[in-house]
Amino acid sequence: MFEDMTYENILNDMLSRVPSDVDKREGSVIYDAIAPAAYKLAEMYYQLNNFIDLVSGDTAVGEYLDRVVADYGITRKHAIYAVRKIETTGAVSIGTRWGIQGVTYTITELITANRYKAKCEQPGEIGNQYSGTLDNIDNISGVTAILTDIIISGEEEETDDNLRARFYDQIQSPSTSGNADNYKKWALEVPGVGDAKVFPLWNGNGTVKVLVIDENMAIDPDLPIKVHDYIETVRPIGATVAVESPEERVIDVSANIELDGSKTLNEVIAAFTSAFTEYLKSTVFETYTVSYARIGSILLATEGIEDYTNLLVNSDTANITIGDEEMPIAGTVALSEAV
């Protein structure tokens, strides 16, 4: 909107308004007096451009996106602290602290003798990552501890992209009480859910099935029960709701490839596998077909590959049809150099 309001344009416009009999050359009194003001005005117009981006749903970020979506009753899903099981060689007090790899946990509850619940002090997925012998932060003598099972998975704070997608989903598909859009909206409100698919009347009148995946477009076995419990608190009376994970459909790829010499075979396999996996993620709940031609184009676009032959997808040269309740996942990737 203010692209033309640059420092040079503002300065030239200001100088054009000075009488011609006044010295306006760079270094003159009037030039040196006007230039700083022109600079600050240009800076202000830049900030105004940025401000417009911060109040629009398609470009707002962080707290500004929170404020945009709040007008529609949407809030960002907060990070979740992991809760883990700790096993000790002796009794310890509630509130004692333990650590591993810089991640710390506080004992919160006794489960059984020498087995405790412990809450991670750092929010997010980092609380899920490590297991093993713990450091004794509180210097409890004669007791060692091991970090074992995940009781509650830690989740990262909802990203801007996921929050924006929920925002668009709600305003573009307004939900009414108990329709399919409503169930999808409720599922997406649960922390950790990245996408959902709804099947109305899946087992007769008054029944609904919801499939859910996590924010990495992967299956999280803990999500269905979380989503089900939440939907039970908001759904209309009389509905019977089932929440499940989709079934995995493994997609294997093999091909003979010709390298161009810029990458090793292992580097090429890693790069293709990453791009192939991202493609499969993009199809989840969006399409019922994994495209044979698209996989070929991903191969050709992979840095280090000159050409390929004998491309097989699940041992065939055709598109793969994905069922209503399936999601494709990357299986074996077998790329070998053509001889």
Side-chain angles (χ1 to χ4, degrees):
M1 179 177 293
F2 302 110
E3 291 81 4
D4 293 335
M5 304 305 291
T6 63
Y7 165 70
E8 292 79 8
N9 288 345
I10 294 172
L11 178 61
N12 290 334
D13 182 56
M14 294 173 75
L15 290 173
S16 71
R17 299 172 189 276
V18 177
S20 57
D21 58 349
V22 176
D23 185 0
K24 296 184 284 185
R25 293 173 297 177
E26 186 173 355
S28 65
V29 173
I30 193 65
Y31 186 99
D32 289 348
I34 289 175
Y39 181 86
K40 296 305 291 184
L41 283 171
E43 189 177 67
M44 180 198 68
Y45 279 113
Y46 175 84
Q47 295 295 341
L48 282 174
N49 254 339
N50 189 51
F51 172 77
I52 292 171
D53 287 340
L54 292 177
V55 297
S56 299
D58 60 336
T59 50
V61 296
E63 64 175 296
Y64 298 97
L65 179 58
D66 291 342
R67 294 170 70 174
V68 170
V69 303
D71 290 340
Y72 296 84
I74 303 170
T75 57
R76 187 186 300 269
K77 290 181 274 189
H78 297 296
I80 296 175
Y81 293 83
V83 176
R84 302 288 298 272
K85 183 186 292 183
I86 288 180
E87 299 181 4
T88 65
T89 57
V92 298
S93 301
I94 302 300
T96 54
R97 301 173 67 238
W98 303 80
I100 182 172
Q101 298 291 329
V103 183
T104 54
Y105 298 83
T106 301
I107 299 289
T108 59
E109 182 182 334
L110 175 67
I111 302 174
T112 59
N114 297 340
R115 286 180 173 84
Y116 299 87
K117 287 184 181 180
K119 181 179 179 180
C120 183
E121 295 180 347
Q122 292 77 36
E125 295 176 354
I126 192 170
N128 308 330
Q129 292 181 4
Y130 304 108
S131 295
T133 303
L134 289 162
D135 299 322
N136 190 340
I137 296 175
D138 289 343
N139 296 318
I140 301 171
S141 61
V143 178
T144 60
I146 298 175
L147 185 65
T148 59
D149 300 339
I150 296 174
I151 298 173
I152 297 176
S153 295
E155 301 284 353
E156 298 297 327
E157 181 180 70
E158 186 174 19
T159 64
D160 285 348
D161 287 342
N162 283 341
L163 179 57
R164 200 185 325 274
R166 284 204 295 127
F167 167 64
Y168 283 146
D169 191 64
Q170 177 165 319
I171 63 175
Q172 292 171 359
S173 303
S175 58
T176 57
S177 182
N179 71 3
D181 290 329
N182 229 152
Y183 280 94
K184 182 173 182 178
K185 171 181 175 291
W186 293 329
L188 291 174
E189 288 173 353
V190 177
V193 175
D195 203 356
K197 185 176 183 179
V198 180
F199 297 86
L201 308 177
W202 76 278
N203 195 30
N205 289 335
T207 64
V208 180
K209 178 182 280 190
V210 183
L211 300 182
V212 292
I213 53 177
D214 68 16
E215 292 178 345
N216 295 315
M217 297 297 157
I219 290 175
D220 181 342
D222 295 329
L223 273 183
I225 190 168
K226 293 179 183 177
V227 174
H228 181 272
D229 289 347
Y230 176 70
I231 289 179
E232 285 298 300
T233 67
V234 294
R235 68 169 175 79
I237 295 174
T240 301
V241 183
V243 183
E244 300 175 2
S245 298
E247 297 179 16
E248 294 182 341
R249 179 73 179 277
V250 178
I251 310 296
D252 299 324
V253 174
S254 64
N256 296 327
I257 59 173
E258 180 183 339
L259 300 179
D260 63 14
S262 65
K263 300 290 182 179
T264 66
L265 177 59
N266 286 339
E267 289 173 331
V268 164
I269 292 174
F272 170 76
T273 301
S274 176
F276 171 55
T277 301
E278 289 304 310
Y279 162 62
L280 293 183
K281 288 181 179 180
S282 73
T283 68
V284 178
F285 297 163
E286 297 295 331
T287 178
Y288 295 110
T289 302
V290 172
S291 169
Y292 175 87
R294 179 67 180 275
I295 294 172
S297 69
I298 295 172
L299 264 177
L300 283 179
T302 300
E303 189 175 356
I305 294 181
E306 181 70 27
D307 204 354
Y308 71 87
T309 57
N310 300 324
L311 171 62
L312 296 177
V313 180
N314 282 4
S315 302
D316 203 350
T317 57
N319 294 340
I320 303 297
T321 301
I322 305 300
D324 284 350
E325 300 185 23
E326 293 181 330
M327 64 174 288
I329 63 167
T332 302
V333 174
L335 304 181
S336 57
E337 289 190 73
V339 293

